Amino acid sequence: MTARHILKTSMKLIDIGANLTDPVFRGKYRGNQAHPDDLEKILERARDAGIVAMMVTGGSLEESRHAIAMCQQHAHLYATVGCHPTRTSEVSKHAGGAPAYFAALQKLISENRDKVVAIGECGLDYDRLHFSDKATQLEHFVRHFELAQATGLPLFLHDRNTQGDFARLVKENRQKFAAGVVHSFTGSASEAQELLDLGLYIGINGCSLKTEDNLAAVKSIPVDRLMIETDCPYCEIRPTHASHKLLEKAVWKQPEAKRKERWSEECLVKSRNEPCTIRQVLHVLATLHAMDEAEMADRLYDNTVRVFSGIS
């Protein structure tokens, strides 16, 4: 057995943000079946890369239901339940409006406490107000704090260009939840500090590592407040990213990727990020913090189970 193999199989990583309900993981792109369903192979590659658990993101009531159904079929998968800020426009269209929508979310949680580990994805996104306007996002973000208080679950948070509104609402409602993570962080070092001052953890993926400023911000975050994710099928580390050059010395090498039209079970699909690439994010984090990958993996694992105690 090679040292590389030992390193690979001894890792314990948790991907806190995997959008595994996306149809692309079943081979379907924009409604068209491009290749066979390869979810099981994707999960196998994730295990081979050292992933021992994943949090499947619920971005709406229906998506949360799908996430839980998937998690019930796989012991190492866990779900979040909530409404993504860009989906909040659907709340008023639900029969019975917002009270009924959030009651349905709470019922879903109470019936699946073995699999639901967080409230979310929730927060604010002012980059995409064409999906849901600011007032709607603000109204329903606050409802997630109430859901967290009622269930005792931590928050899985989203914050994009919110001009202080996100931090203000978190501060106003901080007593309603014990812990939370702002996932897919792309802000500055000062913005990271603001989140840390609120007692939050910060999730890092490929989108967090695009520019030199991003790298400096991530380097400024204490290791004991970091978590790791892929946000797949999005947020891969691309050759144009500042972090890509740091992968030259990485032990783990990404499997070959092919276009979906040339799909092969043993290959990744180009532009479809998947959980196994978390090893690239791990390598960058370890490099920025001048740590061994295995040590960084252990620290990230401990941070994650400290907050998401439902993961076993």
Side-chain angles (χ1 to χ4, degrees), residues 184 205-207 230-238 241 273 281:
S184 195
N205 58 40
C207 287
T230 58
D231 203 26
C232 62
Y234 318 108
C235 291
E236 62 190 327
I237 294 179
R238 298 180 178 179
H241 291 181
N273 194 21
V281 182

Side-chain angles (χ1 to χ4, degrees), residues 71-91:
C71 294
Q72 295 291 5
Q73 297 173 9
H74 299 88
H76 69 301
L77 299 185
Y78 299 85
T80 75
V81 169
C83 188
H84 190 282
T86 63
R87 312 263 192 94
T88 50
S89 58
E90 75 176 42
V91 174

Side-chain angles (χ1 to χ4, degrees), residues 234-291:
Y234 318 108
C235 291
E236 62 190 327
I237 294 179
R238 298 180 178 179
T240 55
H241 291 181
S243 55
H244 192 268
K245 64 181 182 294
L246 301 180
L247 299 178
E248 293 176 2
K249 296 182 180 180
V251 173
W252 185 86
K253 301 300 181 184
Q254 178 178 300
E256 180 185 1
K258 295 182 177 181
R259 294 173 59 188
K260 62 181 183 295
E261 293 82 6
R262 298 179 59 242
W263 176 87
S264 168
E265 186 180 54
E266 300 303 319
C267 296
L268 277 61
V269 175
K270 285 187 176 180
S271 299
R272 183 190 72 173
N273 194 21
E274 62 176 77
C276 70
T277 67
I278 201 168
R279 288 292 292 272
Q280 294 183 326
V281 182
L282 174 68
H283 179 77
V284 173
L285 284 175
T287 301
L288 292 175
H289 286 272
M291 292 174 63

